[in-house]
Amino acid sequence: MAVTETYRETLRQLSDELIAIQKPILILDAIKWPQSVEQTFFANNAQRLPDIDSAFYQQNNPLNFEPAVLQRQLSDFQQRLHNRLGEADPLGHILWETAEQYQRVTELLAARGTPAFLTASRQLYGSASDALNGDTTPLIEMGQRFCDIFSLPAAHHLSAPYPKNIPADEAVRQLQQRLLPFFDGSNFSVKESDGIVSDASAGGDCIKVNTHANFSELELQVLEVHEGWVHVGTTLNGRSQPWASWLSVGSPRITALQEGLAVLIETLTFSSFPGRARKISDRVVAIDMAERGADFIEVYRHFLAQGLNERECYKIAQRVFRGGMVAGGSCFTKDLSYVKGLVETVNFIRSAILADAPQLLPLLFVGKVSLDDVPVLYRYMQEGIIEPPRYLPPMFRDLNGLYVWFGFSSGLSKLDLQSVQAHYQSLFST
């Protein structure tokens, strides 16, 4: 369809319609565990599996939508989409794929506590045994490689001077002070919350900080750029789109880029630290164990043996088994997105630079998108349908430094690191 005013209005109508249909779907809320589960687990000396099964989800956390009804609504939407935009329309194709993802999400949530949950999770987020895009390396191999690097003794010493002594109320104050200038002109806020499982999370134009959590200075640096610049920033950029309003919300197809981009920004701003990087890598190992049949306690004890404290081990296992089966056989694979997304986003940026297409890179922040969407959205930005992103990290606003960084990175990747390391090993051992 030609880019006309009618096309723009049709795109906006369909975008708004999809947003309305998917609104009841809250994946993490639907699979969350109450705080009492952790308390009971440790009261039992970590010897008994959490009392979580299919009946638990149905009785204690019922879905606020009927899966069959929502699936019919999504199917009807896909048919209207094809009728109005045609099956070959590039933006229409992104919308159709997004609706298709929501179909799989309804299957995922309907299957909480059953083996079918893992089947749907793999369709949405992948498996630890999957190869990375454009490569043959399995994700679990990459995760284990990162775990080895970030478990070296030096990694522990580097973060030792940064205690977790910043309470939630002070964390809120500091994050607001850092981020309000970045989000100038928006309704951005930071607030305490008693209703989240993680220490902090981004939702819409807000970062929620767990009332019961304490933070280190390093962790606040991560929250500023990960939750703020990336997750909130892409939401607000999506909300500013005049026609492609679906870019303000995300289906699982955008999760890998969202999390990978967030981890990359942590790295480019020197905000991350070895313990944080290891946590992300550990999640890949935990998912691989669960996919191969390990139960909750086996995963918990594995990381306890790796030197993590009891609460860290519980949180890793909880993230993997939420929605699945604590006795093994089903798990939630979303946390593969951090390592998978990081590697694939880095490869995308390097490839864009080597292909003389760095102008594509700011579009990574235009909203909730996948890597495959970026070239399509760039073309439509030139047509005036997609607005450039307003909130951009500084290295994506001025691409000079990023170009040089990844240009050198691409060149250095040709070196044989094993031989180089062998050359310097004698110096390090003296």
Side-chain angles (χ1 to χ4, degrees), residues 172-228:
V172 167
R173 188 193 69 80
Q174 290 191 30
L175 286 172
Q176 284 179 326
Q177 187 177 44
R178 297 179 186 194
L179 284 167
L180 283 175
F182 183 85
F183 291 119
D184 183 42
S186 76
N187 293 320
F188 170 77
S189 64
V190 186
K191 62 182 181 182
E192 287 187 55
S193 173
D194 196 29
I196 58 174
V197 174
S198 57
D199 288 344
S201 67
D205 53 10
C206 175
I207 294 177
K208 295 179 181 179
V209 174
N210 193 323
T211 301
H212 307 289
N214 289 309
F215 301 87
S216 69
E217 173 59 31
L218 291 177
E219 288 170 327
L220 289 189
Q221 291 175 193
V222 168
L223 290 177
E224 177 186 0
V225 300
H226 184 116
E227 305 293 346

Side-chain angles (χ1 to χ4, degrees), residues 122 126-132 136-141 284 288 291 336:
R122 283 171 167 166
S127 166
S129 61
D130 290 346
L132 295 158
T136 59
T137 305
L139 192 53
I140 180 57
E141 183 179 321
V284 179
D288 182 64
E291 285 190 283
L336 298 173

Side-chain angles (χ1 to χ4, degrees), residues 279-295:
K279 183 184 298 184
I280 291 168
S281 308
D282 283 343
R283 294 170 185 171
V284 179
V285 174
I287 289 170
D288 182 64
M289 291 180 65
E291 285 190 283
R292 289 187 288 108
D295 67 21

Side-chain angles (χ1 to χ4, degrees), residues 150 155 159 216 218-220 222 266 270-279:
F150 296 122
S159 57
S216 69
L218 291 177
E219 288 170 327
L220 289 189
V222 168
E266 293 177 28
F270 295 98
S271 299
S272 196
F273 52 98
R276 161 70 176 170
R278 178 183 169 180
K279 183 184 298 184

